[in-house]
Amino acid sequence: MKKGFFISPLMIAVIMTAIIAGCSKDDDHKPDYNPLIDDPKEEQPNTGPQQPTQADRTEKYRPQIHFTPAKNWMNDPNGMVYADGTYHLFYQYNPQGNDWGNMSWGHATSTDMIYWTEQAVALTRDELGDIFSGSAVIDKDNTAGFGANAMVALYTSASGAQQQSVAYSTDGGKSFTRYTNNPVIRNDDDNLRDPKVFWHEETKQWVMALANGWKMGVDFYTSPDLKNWAFQSHFFIALKGRPSLQWECPDLIPFELNGQKKWVLIVSVNPGGPILGSGTMYFVGQFDGKTFTADDLEYPLWLDYGMDNYAGVTWSNTGNRRVLIGWMNNWQYAGAVPCSPWRSAMTLPRELKLVEYGSKPLLTSAVVSEIDKIAGAWQPATGTFDAKDAYQLRINLHLDRNSTITLSNSQGEKFVVDVNASTRSVIAHRNAQTGQTGFAGTFSVPTMQAPLSTVGPSVVLDFYVDQSSVELLTENGSMSMTNLVFPQSIYDSFNVTGATYEAQIRPLKSIWR
C-alpha cells in the first residue's frame, strides 16, 4: 500500500488542518513528495537479502505477545500465505532505519501464528522502485510456469508511478526471483496499488483486487497465469461524510451466510477511519469473477472501532478458514510512537466469520484459538494481579445498567472503558491519564465508541493487554477495538463499577522466551 505521513511536532497543526479540509496524505505507501518529509538518502539501491538482527525484545514498550521485528520500521502485513505447515508473514520494512523509507518486504514465519521467527529480508527495492504492499499465492498447478507449488508474490513497484510486479520462490519463501518482464501491470501515476490475488474456482482464473488510492475505489483484474492481466471492472461507493479518502489494501473473501455464498470486500482508508486517521471498512455483496456488487447496506461498516488496526488482510491457502492480521498503528502518529529500536507491531491474528445480526450481515473478528498455546490457567480476577508479560482479562458484564471498567497501574495511569447498557455500546478513552501521549498531538483521543452488536442480558468482553496495547473484543468478535497505549508499566489492576459482573484472568506468556 502507499505509505503514510510521519508527523513531527512542527507539522501537527498543518496536518490537522489538512485533515479537516479533506486533504490528508497517504497512509500505507510513500506520501506525495514533501521536502519536509522526503529524504534523498532513502532512495537506496537493492542491497540484497539481509539477515534479521538478534534481540532479546525486552525493551520498554516492547510487545510480548505480538509480532515485532528485532529492530527498524515496520508497517503493512504483506504476502501472507500458508504452505507446508508454515504461516508466512511478509511486511513493509525499512532494513536501514526506524523510520519509513527503503521499503522492502521483511519476512517472518510461524507454525501457529503466535510464535514467530524473523527471517532474512525477502525483497528490497530495485530499478522499478520501492517494494510496496501485495500478496502471495501458491501456484499448485504451475499456471505461471515458475514450477508447481511455487510461491508467487505480487506487489507494487513504486517510484513515482505505482506498477504491479511479480517475484517467485521455489524454496518455500527463502529466496525470490523477480519476473524478467516486470511490471506486469503498467501505470503512470501513484494511485494503483496493493494487489491481493486469489484463485476463482468458478471461472478458473486468478483474480486481483487493486486499490485506487486517492482516486478511491477498487479495480478488478483477471489472469490465467499470474503474468498477463486484463482489467475487468471498477468498484466504488461514495461514503456519506467522507468525500475524500485514500483507499488501500483490498481483500475480497468468500463466506457462507444462511446457506448462500457472500463476498466481503475489505478496504483500508486513510484519513477517514471510524475516529481519526486510519481505519478498515468492509462491503458485503456478490462477485461473479469479474465484478463485485455491494448489497444495499448503510456503509461504511467498520472491522475495528479503535485507532490502531490498519491494512489488515487475510492469509491465502488456508481453505475455508479466514484469518486476518493488521498493522497495529495509525498514520496520524506512526512515525512518532516512542518505540526503539523497533517501530510498530502487528495485531493478534483474528479469525473472520460472516454472521447475521439484526437481519443484516456482520463481519466478526475473534482472536484465533491458537492463543491458548501461550495462555495459563484461568483464575478469578479481583483487583490487582501479577501482569508479567501480558494477559487476557475476561469480564462477563450484565447489561441492566451502565458500567465503567478501569484498567490501571501503580503509577496511577489508567485506561477507562464505559459500557452504555441502553445503546449497547462501549466508549473507550485514551488521554493523558492512559500513559505517555505527548509524542504526537493526535494520539490523545477523548472518546472512541463502538456498538457491541450483541443480544441477551449480558456481554462477555475480552481485554488482551500487552506492554503497549489493549485489544478489546467481545468474546465472539462481534465488536473489536484495538488501541496502542504507553503506560510506564503494564496495567496490573482492574475495577468495575455499575452493573454486576464476573471476571477471570489468565496470563499470556512471552512469545520471545
Side-chain angles (χ1 to χ4, degrees):
M1 345 181 325
K2 197 169 185 180
K3 308 318 159 189
F5 248 53
F6 309 116
I7 304 174
S8 68
L10 293 175
M11 295 182 67
I12 290 172
V14 176
I15 297 300
M16 290 302 294
T17 301
I19 292 168
I20 294 171
C23 299
S24 303
K25 295 300 180 186
D26 297 344
D27 55 59
D28 172 89
H29 297 93
K30 186 177 181 181
D32 296 333
Y33 178 75
N34 185 322
L36 296 177
I37 299 175
D38 284 14
D39 186 344
K41 71 177 180 290
E42 290 181 354
E43 301 300 322
Q44 305 274 349
N46 180 2
T47 56
Q50 300 179 35
Q51 296 300 319
T53 300
Q54 299 301 313
D56 60 12
R57 291 179 168 87
T58 58
E59 305 92 343
K60 187 177 182 64
Y61 301 134
R62 173 74 80 165
Q64 294 301 302
I65 60 171
H66 297 81
F67 174 74
T68 55
K71 70 174 186 176
N72 296 347
W73 171 275
M74 175 184 73
N75 55 288
D76 312 356
N78 296 159
M80 295 157 53
V81 63
Y82 178 71
D84 300 322
T86 297
Y87 292 92
H88 293 265
L89 171 64
F90 300 92
Y91 46 89
Q92 291 286 280
Y93 185 64
N94 181 358
Q96 300 182 26
N98 202 22
D99 295 307
W100 188 94
N102 310 303
M103 296 318 298
S104 307
W105 273 23
H107 185 201
T109 55
S110 174
T111 59
D112 54 16
M113 300 177 288
I114 301 297
Y115 289 99
W116 291 97
T117 300
E118 191 173 354
Q119 305 291 349
V121 176
L123 291 168
T124 54
R125 69 187 317 274
D126 59 15
E127 67 279 2
L128 292 176
D130 285 315
I131 311 299
F132 280 180
S133 294
S135 56
V137 296
I138 302 301
D139 187 14
K140 63 183 181 66
D141 294 326
N142 194 23
T143 64
F146 301 140
N149 293 310
M151 182 185 294
V152 182
L154 298 101
Y155 59 90
T156 298
S157 295
S159 181
Q162 293 176 358
Q163 307 182 95
Q164 315 317 311
S165 294
V166 170
Y168 62 93
S169 173
T170 55
D171 60 4
K174 296 178 181 177
S175 63
F176 281 86
T177 301
R178 300 174 204 245
Y179 179 48
T180 56
N181 290 327
N182 281 336
V184 295
I185 298 179
R186 298 182 180 275
N187 180 47
D188 61 3
D189 68 24
D190 63 350
N191 284 287
L192 192 67
R193 55 181 176 268
D194 311 339
K196 187 62 163 72
V197 175
F198 66 94
W199 177 258
H200 189 251
E201 183 62 30
E202 293 84 348
T203 56
K204 305 296 182 184
Q205 62 185 346
W206 296 100
V207 173
M208 176 191 292
L210 271 175
N212 288 164
W214 282 106
K215 292 183 177 179
M216 298 185 289
V218 174
D219 289 347
F220 291 98
Y221 288 73
T222 59
S223 171
D225 58 8
L226 295 168
K227 299 180 292 188
N228 298 284
W229 293 91
F231 172 79
Q232 297 297 342
S233 64
H234 175 74
F235 169 78
F236 173 73
I237 289 180
L239 302 174
K240 184 177 180 181
R242 291 172 169 84
S244 181
L245 298 175
Q246 185 177 211
W247 288 41
E248 301 189 309
C249 301
D251 195 352
L252 185 63
I253 315 162
F255 292 92
E256 185 174 292
L257 178 64
N258 296 331
Q260 294 184 331
K261 191 170 189 177
K262 286 284 187 180
W263 291 81
V264 171
L265 176 62
I266 295 174
V267 181
S268 290
V269 291
N270 181 75
I275 308 155
L276 174 70
S278 310
T280 304
M281 61 182 182
Y282 66 93
F283 303 88
V284 181
Q286 304 296 326
F287 183 69
D288 62 5
K290 296 182 178 180
T291 302
F292 174 77
T293 305
D295 291 350
D296 184 16
L297 299 170
E298 186 175 348
Y299 297 110
L301 301 170
W302 297 108
L303 181 67
D304 192 291
Y305 288 85
M307 287 289 290
D308 299 300
N309 186 351
Y310 190 69
V313 288
T314 59
W315 268 278
S316 65
N317 204 41
T318 56
N320 292 326
R321 193 183 189 200
R322 313 297 180 189
V323 182
L324 174 143
I325 201 168
W327 177 48
M328 196 160 58
N329 215 325
N330 189 305
W331 281 117
Q332 291 301 309
Y333 42 73
V337 292
C339 303
S340 180
W342 86 102
R343 186 165 279 138
S344 290
M346 296 300 177
T347 67
L348 290 174
R350 317 278 182 86
E351 183 163 359
L352 303 181
K353 294 182 180 180
L354 191 65
V355 302
E356 188 173 78
Y357 174 74
S359 73
K360 295 180 180 179
L362 173 70
L363 187 63
T364 66
S365 57
V367 172
V368 296
S369 60
E370 285 87 342
I371 194 70
D372 291 345
K373 291 191 172 187
I374 59 172
W378 285 108
Q379 299 176 354
T382 55
T384 302
F385 44 84
D386 185 0
K388 292 185 179 178
D389 299 322
Y391 59 89
Q392 179 184 357
L393 173 66
R394 173 168 288 179
I395 299 176
N396 188 334
L397 183 71
H398 293 259
L399 293 174
D400 55 344
R401 67 184 68 181
N402 295 341
S403 302
T404 296
I405 302 170
T406 302
L407 304 178
S408 60
N409 61 19
S410 58
Q411 287 81 17
E413 296 166 322
K414 55 187 178 181
F415 184 78
V416 178
V417 175
D418 296 319
V419 179
N420 189 305
S422 60
T423 61
R424 287 183 174 253
S425 62
V426 295
I427 304 96
H429 310 276
R430 186 173 71 184
N431 49 39
Q433 292 184 320
T434 307
Q436 189 176 170
T437 61
F439 53 85
T442 50
F443 189 76
S444 182
V445 182
T447 61
M448 53 191 88
Q449 183 168 330
L452 287 172
S453 300
T454 186
V455 296
S458 62
V459 63
V460 177
L461 297 174
D462 280 321
F463 293 81
Y464 294 89
V465 182
D466 203 344
Q467 299 293 317
S468 53
S469 64
V470 176
E471 288 166 281
L472 169 59
L473 302 95
T474 53
E475 184 180 18
N476 66 352
S478 64
M479 183 280 301
S480 169
M481 182 180 280
T482 303
N483 286 293
L484 294 177
V485 291
F486 295 100
Q488 291 303 302
S489 62
I490 192 170
Y491 305 128
D492 59 0
S493 181
F494 85 101
N495 179 61
V496 181
T497 60
T500 57
Y501 69 95
E502 299 82 38
Q504 53 184 336
I505 192 170
R506 61 178 182 173
L508 301 174
K509 65 181 180 180
S510 174
I511 63 175
W512 307 118
R513 297 188 294 278

